Structures are given as C-alpha cells and as structure tokens.
Amino acid sequence: MTRAAIDGVAVEMTDKEFELAAFLFRNLGRLLSRGHLLEAVWGRNPDLATRTVDTHISRVRSKLNLRPENGFRLTPTYNFGYRLEKIDPSESSALGEAAMSPA
C-alpha cells in the first residue's frame, strides 16, 4: 500500500492506483487511451483486460475525490480512454446552477 495526502489527510492506495494517478497528473489535460494507460502502468503487453483500467480509474476518482467541485474532472471518452482536467471549482457550480435553472 502507498499513501497519498489530500489537504493533509492520508489516503491509502494500492501501488497500481498510485502509479495510475501519478501518470494521469503528469499528463494533465491529455486524452489517454486505455491501451496507453495499460502499457504505462502495467508494462508492455500486459495480459489484462481493459476493464482493469476502468476499475482502477473508478477507485482513483473515488479515493482522490476527483470531482469538479474539488478542481478536477476525470472524464471518460467513449470507446477510447480518459482525460484528467484541472478546472476552476466555481465553473462547476456555475454550470450546475445553469443546468438547474428553468429555460
């Protein structure tokens, strides 16, 4: 197990979750394919299903609380991969309010 910290609070992560999170943050704003993520984190020609990436992404998103209101958005791109973006938390609340206001 590896520990990361968010606002001084320790978060326990597996080594692969930590490697995946570090890779996403090193490539902030870039669209990364599942295959590229598999190779970067699990090595060349891993004998793993791409669902492994999806499962680990879900855990990383949850453990690090990668939500727009916290300044980050980890979005899937259908049939391709993922992108981690840094956003202004006030943007997410403004978008939420606009979506909820009557037209």
Side-chain angles (χ1 to χ4, degrees):
M1 285 288 184
T2 304
R3 282 199 172 166
I6 300 172
D7 295 328
V9 177
V11 176
E12 298 244 343
M13 303 176 81
T14 66
D15 291 341
K16 291 298 180 195
E17 289 167 350
F18 185 83
E19 287 178 49
L20 179 59
F23 189 74
L24 289 167
F25 277 98
R26 281 195 304 271
N27 289 281
L28 199 63
R30 287 188 180 153
L31 178 58
L32 303 166
S33 72
R34 284 179 179 83
H36 189 71
L37 291 167
L38 269 172
E39 186 177 315
V41 176
W42 284 269
R44 289 210 176 274
N45 301 319
D47 191 22
L48 300 168
T50 57
R51 293 297 300 168
T52 298
V53 173
D54 299 328
T55 301
H56 279 75
I57 287 282
S58 177
R59 290 182 190 155
V60 166
R61 181 187 285 123
S62 177
K63 288 182 178 185
L64 298 182
N65 207 10
L66 299 176
R67 308 261 183 258
E69 58 271 16
N70 295 323
F72 290 96
R73 179 174 42 220
L74 181 54
T75 55
T77 297
Y78 182 73
N79 229 9
F80 187 77
Y82 294 90
R83 179 190 328 257
L84 177 64
E85 299 171 290
K86 183 164 180 52
I87 59 172
D88 182 353
S90 65
E91 275 182 40
S92 70
S93 61
L95 289 174
E97 289 169 14
M100 296 189 69
S101 64

